[in-house]
Amino acid sequence: MDFLKKNYEKLLLGVVLLGLVGALASLPFFISSQNSELAGLNEKLRPVVKPLTNLNLTASEEALKRAGTPPTIDLGPPNRLFNPMPWQKAADERLIPISKIGPTALIVTNIEELRLKLSLESVTPPDASGNCSYIIAMEKPAATGTAKTKASFSCTARSKNKFFSVMEVKGKPEDPSEIVVQMEDTKETAVIGKNKPYERIEGYTADLRYDPEKKKWDNCRVNARPYPTFNGEEYNIVAINKDEVVLSAKSNGKKWTIKASAGS
């Protein structure tokens, strides 16, 4: 008892120290347990986030395209917000928009080709020298005015006239399959077959119509006479192509190109 009385403080301190050592020894396990518990709570409380899908940017891209090409505002024809259309009274008292009179109202209803044609008409028997003659007919419409050349030429091999030169006779001289000639104006080579004439485009004719005055002109050629007259003006036809007619006003020389109207 005396030992306990003398040393109880030391014994009590030792018990306390042993408790502290035990607490320190158990501290890592406690911390690990707390961390596991916190991790579990974190997993439970974490929201489930769905993966993002591909964004549809079509509307935005279309908006950018529209912004890059802003619309143009046309205040002229046919809207005419600030440009009212003037009208004019026609010969039959009808009111006609100014934009529909004059050359802009002229309609090209039809365009036809003018063709030069060379054909072998006949072959004469050999003469005393053994040479054959060939009758070549030429039909040459004029692209200007109304003149038309029709003629027949008696030719021999290597002969020449103002329209063409005979370059070669193929086949038998008395029964040629082809006659090759060179055109004097263009220097192009033309082949005239026995039953196949040579043709080329020399120009065009045009049929015109002017509805405001109910006028029309058929088979018009370049520099046609009399000049087409409408809307108080004379117009010369200065050119006709396969799909358009070019007019020139006699008073001031101003030109207009009128396209052929499909289905007119």
Side-chain angles (χ1 to χ4, degrees), residues 11 27 36 69 108 114 159 169 195 216 231 248-249 253 259 263:
L11 292 174
L27 185 60
S36 298
T69 55
V108 180
L114 291 171
S159 64
V169 176
N195 296 307
K216 68 176 183 176
N231 194 37
S248 174
K259 296 290 185 180

Side-chain angles (χ1 to χ4, degrees), residues 46 79 81:
R46 179 180 297 174
N79 303 308
L81 181 60

